[in-house]
Amino acid sequence: MIEVKDLTKTYDIDGQTLKAVNNVSFEVDRGEMVSIIGHSGSGKTTLLSLIGGLTRPNSGRVVIDNADIWSMDDDSLSGFRNRKISFIYQFASLIPTLTTLENIVLPTAFGNYRDEIVKDAKELLGIVGLAEKVNSYPSHLSGGQQRRIAIARAFINRPEIILADEPTGDLDEETENEVIQLFDRMNTERGVTFLIVTHNKEIAARAKKKLSMVNGVLSEIG
């Protein structure tokens, strides 16, 4: 489903070239859960951004369902990304003037609107344990609650791929377990493919394929 081939991304900093992602190649099968571990600054977030079509590589290819995403024009890539991929970032990034429900359904504004979208959003709110917060604004939510809303939002378009960057980074242990169970459920029931950057050993252990990144170089564990 995902084929990454000879992917490289460099940055020029103070006259020196930094290889954030250094000639990375690997494959992810449909419905697979893959974890990537590594120290801060090792290139993990940059790699997710390259795979998700947000940051253009200096060289190499990202092929998703036989489509070379970096050969597409901007409009085609945006449409492809909206149909196939959702992101869970380190920060919730909710729109402060929108309610919880409105924040969750926001991604559907860029795709095909479904009549059952509000029903889906309320179901996702229940799954993340915030059904009673349907009309709340972000300022009335804790940081952990905002993160759960952002996680619910990532599933509203029924994506085939979730790219998650430290998805449980600021959650308490109970909520963290709920999120892990949600990922398992979406992976098992809907066949969602997960590529997860994490320091959480339990999430990493659940992944079928475990990768490690050091100084931009990716290797498989075990």
Side-chain angles (χ1 to χ4, degrees), residues 20-50:
V21 175
N22 188 359
N23 199 38
V24 165
S25 298
F26 69 103
E27 295 182 2
V28 180
D29 294 332
R30 185 179 300 278
E32 196 169 30
M33 185 177 287
V34 178
S35 65
I36 303 176
I37 62 172
H39 294 298
S40 297
S42 62
K44 307 182 304 298
T45 297
T46 301
L47 178 60
L48 282 192
S49 186
L50 295 169

Side-chain angles (χ1 to χ4, degrees), residues 8-13 16-21 41 58 215:
T8 295
K9 179 63 180 179
T10 63
Y11 295 99
D12 291 327
I13 300 176
Q16 295 185 338
T17 299
L18 170 67
K19 285 191 174 182
V21 175
N58 295 89
N215 296 328

Side-chain angles (χ1 to χ4, degrees), residues 12 26 32 36-37 96 108 127-128 133 136 151 159 163 185:
D12 291 327
F26 69 103
E32 196 169 30
I36 303 176
I37 62 172
T108 66
I127 289 173
V128 297
K133 300 293 186 180
S136 298
I151 289 171
L163 302 179
R185 176 177 174 181

Side-chain angles (χ1 to χ4, degrees), residues 128-157:
V128 297
L130 293 172
E132 76 284 359
K133 300 293 186 180
V134 62
N135 293 315
S136 298
Y137 288 89
S139 60
H140 300 148
L141 304 174
S142 68
Q145 288 173 328
Q146 291 186 40
R147 174 61 73 88
R148 283 189 274 171
I149 297 301
I151 289 171
R153 181 181 58 193
F155 291 99
I156 194 64
N157 271 339

Side-chain angles (χ1 to χ4, degrees), residues 1-4 30 47-55 62-65 67-70 72 76-89 107-108 110-111 150-151 153-165 192-195:
M1 183 182 194
I2 303 173
E3 181 185 2
V4 176
R30 185 179 300 278
L47 178 60
L48 282 192
S49 186
L50 295 169
I51 294 170
L54 298 178
T55 300
V62 177
V63 179
I64 299 176
D65 281 350
D68 186 343
I69 68 169
W70 288 114
M72 300 178 182
S76 298
L77 178 55
S78 294
F80 182 87
R81 192 167 50 227
N82 184 258
R83 293 192 306 273
K84 295 275 187 181
I85 304 169
S86 275
F87 300 84
I88 301 174
Y89 299 104
T108 66
F110 306 102
I151 289 171
R153 181 181 58 193
F155 291 99
I156 194 64
N157 271 339
R158 295 181 176 265
E160 296 179 24
I161 301 167
I162 290 284
L163 302 179
D165 191 357
V192 177
T193 302
F194 284 85
L195 189 54

